[in-house]
Structures are given as structure tokens and as C-alpha cells.
Amino acid sequence: MMAFQDTIKFIQDKFQSKDFIPLHAPVFSGNERKYVMDTLDSTFVSSVGAYVDKSEQMIAEISQTKKAVAVVNGTSGLHIALQLAGVTRGDEVITQALTFVATANAIHYTGSNPVFLDVDYDTMGLSPRAVSDFLEEFGEIRESGTYNKQTGKRIAACMPMHTFGFPVHLDELLQVCNSWNIPLVEDAAESLGSYYKGKHTGSFGQLGVFSFNGNKIVTSGGGGMIVTNNENLGQKGKHLTTTAKVPHPYEFVHDEVGYNFRMPNLNAALICGQLEQLDSFLANKRKLANEYADFFFESQGIIFRKEIENTKSNYWLMAVELEDLEARNAFLKETNEAKTMTRPIWQLMYRLPMYKDCFRDSQKNAENLEERIVNIPSSVRV
């Protein structure tokens, strides 16, 4: 008998399948087809179209921000958000090593260097204490910004990632960043529909970025969105992501180096249909999370990861914590062999060859979580 047979059976029962159960499959049960066909009929399938504008308006409203900018994917959104926050070549950006590679890659695209600091055990996201300790030891406030005394580089931004939709301790992190005059840019790629003290993630920093990749809670196939409460930054973001083209009836005038990061109207139509169902998706996933929490409460050696006080998670990817690395590997092997997809948390960024020489602190919590956290099937059930 398999050690995790009860867990596998529970998941199969919840998804009413003994065939392959994916980690997070998209659900298209609303107006997606209608809106996509509308773009085909209109012939406006590229980067200009009514659904691009509508998707930006919808995300601004959902995220409680003043301006949203649709982009081709979340990674490009992070790249531009960092640039808008003032990050330039040779700077440093504080972030976490326990994250998807896009977080570190976006920092690299700006020509700056990631500084990997530890996460909090309860949120799995960037620890305000770790950031404060780092800055107390290495930070120095100068007229032109905060600098790393050891490297001489400017610390240009701090970019936490809301892991699996669990918000980081935003009040404390903002307090640290503000006291050191460091802009906060939220990697909110996984947290659409998540709240911290009643306020949506992505709306706390100078800028935030969401992802609409195929495995996200809502999807446009690809796609992402930059959000901000600074309308000037929002307008600048729109300009940069649309090749920095100056509006003109027919002339091609570009006033700086821009990027072709525009979301096509075809994809925007899809996300509009998905966003109309966000509330029902969130309720559906919360029901599943509660069922998992009740089940794993009785299980020996497995902890279901739940939202913490003063937060509301979207439960994008649901996660369990195993006793140790050996138990984690056994769980992964047995569930996947049973066609029930599970996945380990990411390798820490400094284990990857391109980031092995970046600064990191002790990473006590991150390394502990890396050995124990596994994602389990989290799709909206239909």
C-alpha cells in the first residue's frame, strides 16, 4: 500500500477523476468564446482594440489602483515596472530567492543585480526582518539614494513576491522600505484576488504586476498587467510598452528606446471573459482549500498551508508541507505515478548557474521550505 494512498484517493474524489489530474487547468465557462469571436469579426486582433482598454479598466478596478497597463506577459511587466521605479544598470534590487525565475530574470533585464534575502516561514514571501537586518548592516543613505556600503552599488528597489497568492507582511515591509527611501515594486503575478488588511495586493508599492499565464487563476493564454496609483508612471509605462511611439495620425515618431510588450486585443478579449468570473473562481477555490485543510488536519506529517491573519489568499496554487526532503520526494513520486500532478516549490535562485554569485543571507527559512513544500491540484472544479 502506498504511503500517500489516502491523499491520492481524496484528490481523485474531489476532482471526480482517476485519469490525469493537472495542477491548475484553465476553465472557460463564460463569455470568452463570444469576446474572442468579436475580435475576429472586427479584425482588430493585434495591439489596438476595445478589449485592451476594457481589460485595463477591469484590472484597475479589481486591484483598487488608478492605472493599469496590459502587457504581453508578467515577466515583461516586472521588467518595465522596475525601470519605471528608477532601476538602472549596475543597481541592486532586493528580492527573495524562493521565487519563480521570472522575478530574478526581470531584475537582470534592467542590468541590475538581485540581492537574495530570506522569506518568512508563515508567508513564504520576503521577510521584512531580513530586509531590515541587511540594510542595518550594509545600507547607507546618501543624497542620491540608498547604497550598499560593501559593493558601492545603489539599492534601487525592493521586489517581494506574493508566493502562491499568500501576501507578504506588507505593512512591515513598507515601513522598512520607506525608512530607507527604497521603492517597493510588488511581484503580484500569483496573487490576483488576494488581499492584505482588506486592500488588494499590487496596490501597496509604487507599482505591482499580475500574470495571466495559462496556469494562473484567470488566463489570457499569456499576458500580464502593470498597476499603479501614480498616473504619471502609468502613462509612462503605457508609452514604453508600446514602442515609445508618439501619437500621430500617420507619422512614425519614437522618442526613446521602447519595448514591443503590447497585449494583443485577441488575448485581452479572453482575459475580459475570464475576469468576469473571477469572484466565482475565487469562491470555488476557497471551498477546495477548506476541504483540503479539513482533510490534512487529520493527516500525520502533512500540513496544509493556509492564509494568515489579516490576509485573504486567492489560493492560486495550494500547498502542503511535508516532514522533510525524503518525505517530500516520496510524496512527489507516488502522486505523480498515480497521475495526480504535484510539484515541488522552485529551486532557490542562487542554486541556478546564472545567479550563483549573487549576494544572499542565511536563507534559513527558504532552505527549510524548499525541502518541504509541494503544490497539489488546485484547479477550479466545474
Side-chain angles (χ1 to χ4, degrees):
M1 180 180 290
M2 295 185 296
F4 301 105
Q5 189 176 46
D6 288 346
T7 296
I8 292 166
K9 184 178 185 305
F10 180 82
I11 295 172
Q12 289 174 339
D13 289 345
K14 289 301 164 186
F15 286 92
Q16 299 181 354
S17 175
K18 291 188 178 180
D19 295 325
F20 175 70
I21 300 173
L23 200 65
H24 199 286
V27 173
F28 303 111
S29 54
N31 289 314
E32 295 94 340
R33 189 179 301 275
K34 174 185 175 183
Y35 294 164
V36 168
M37 291 305 298
D38 185 39
T39 66
L40 297 179
D41 291 341
S42 73
T43 74
F44 284 92
V45 296
S46 191
S47 57
V48 176
Y51 287 106
V52 175
D53 297 337
K54 182 179 178 181
S55 70
E56 291 176 337
Q57 293 165 1
M58 292 177 77
I59 285 292
E61 182 177 345
I62 290 167
S63 64
Q64 305 162 337
T65 54
K66 293 180 179 178
K67 178 68 177 176
V69 178
V71 289
V72 70
N73 53 52
T75 309
S76 61
L78 292 172
H79 176 187
I80 295 301
L82 288 168
Q83 189 169 325
L84 291 170
V87 177
T88 59
R89 183 169 298 277
D91 288 337
E92 292 179 346
V93 175
I94 294 169
T95 192
Q96 58 205 66
L98 188 70
T99 186
F100 181 58
V101 71
T103 308
N105 285 348
I107 294 169
H108 182 76
Y109 297 157
T110 66
S112 57
N113 300 301
V115 172
F116 296 123
L117 301 183
D118 205 2
V119 296
D120 284 319
Y121 174 79
D122 59 353
T123 68
M124 299 182 285
L126 186 63
S127 168
R129 170 53 59 188
V131 175
S132 179
D133 289 347
F134 169 77
L135 291 169
E136 288 294 337
E137 182 174 359
F138 297 103
E140 179 179 76
I141 297 177
R142 304 177 188 172
E143 189 174 339
S144 55
T146 298
Y147 284 76
N148 184 331
K149 291 184 291 188
Q150 186 178 71
T151 63
K153 296 180 182 294
R154 186 172 69 104
I155 303 170
C158 175
M159 187 160 69
M161 198 274 285
H162 302 299
T163 305
F164 306 143
F166 294 104
V168 304
H169 291 288
L170 279 160
D171 279 352
E172 293 91 337
L173 189 57
L174 272 169
Q175 185 177 5
V176 174
C177 289
N178 290 340
S179 66
W180 287 89
N181 299 321
I182 297 173
L184 184 73
V185 177
E186 292 177 70
D187 183 346
E190 302 177 354
S191 67
L192 184 66
S194 294
Y195 294 82
Y196 178 84
K197 295 185 177 179
K199 188 177 175 183
H200 203 290
T201 56
S203 66
F204 288 81
Q206 279 196 9
L207 303 113
V209 179
F210 299 107
S211 169
F212 308 133
N213 189 38
N215 66 350
K216 292 298 189 294
I217 193 164
V218 296
T219 182
S220 53
M225 197 78 68
I226 304 168
V227 296
T228 182
N229 281 307
N230 184 318
E231 295 192 28
N232 290 332
L233 286 181
Q235 293 295 338
K236 180 71 170 178
K238 189 68 172 178
H239 185 61
L240 285 176
T241 57
T242 54
T243 69
K245 186 177 184 296
V246 178
H248 191 280
Y250 49 84
E251 293 284 1
F252 287 91
V253 180
H254 305 264
D255 59 0
E256 60 183 304
V257 175
Y259 304 86
N260 188 9
F261 287 168
R262 300 169 288 185
M263 179 189 286
N265 196 43
L266 195 66
N267 296 82
L270 188 59
I271 200 62
C272 286
Q274 288 271 282
L275 288 172
E276 289 175 349
Q277 303 166 84
L278 177 59
D279 287 345
S280 65
F281 287 173
L282 291 169
N284 187 299
K285 289 170 68 64
R286 179 163 290 271
K287 184 175 186 295
L288 177 62
N290 289 334
E291 292 168 354
Y292 273 142
D294 290 342
F295 172 77
F296 286 112
F297 180 77
E298 299 296 333
S299 298
Q300 294 297 317
I302 305 178
I303 299 170
F304 181 72
R305 280 309 196 113
K306 295 186 285 190
E307 64 197 4
I308 63 171
E309 188 178 4
N310 293 319
T311 71
K312 187 175 183 180
S313 173
N314 64 3
Y315 284 109
W316 167 55
L317 282 188
M318 299 175 207
V320 292
E321 181 180 344
L322 282 297
E323 288 182 318
D324 53 31
L325 182 61
E326 182 180 358
R328 185 205 78 159
N329 290 342
F331 184 88
L332 287 165
K333 183 175 186 296
E334 292 184 17
T335 50
N336 282 286
E337 285 179 351
K339 299 187 291 186
T340 299
M341 186 178 180
T342 60
R343 190 179 70 184
I345 205 167
W346 317 279
Q347 280 193 12
L348 299 178
M349 290 299 100
Y350 56 79
R351 302 198 194 284
L352 305 181
M354 58 281 199
Y355 299 121
K356 64 182 177 64
D357 296 325
C358 293
F359 177 92
R360 66 178 188 269
D361 61 7
S362 68
Q363 299 290 310
K364 178 181 177 182
N365 289 331
E367 291 183 356
N368 182 298
L369 292 164
E370 181 190 31
E371 292 185 350
R372 292 167 170 80
I373 295 295
V374 173
N375 292 125
I376 57 178
S378 309
S379 303
V380 171
R381 293 172 294 173
V382 294

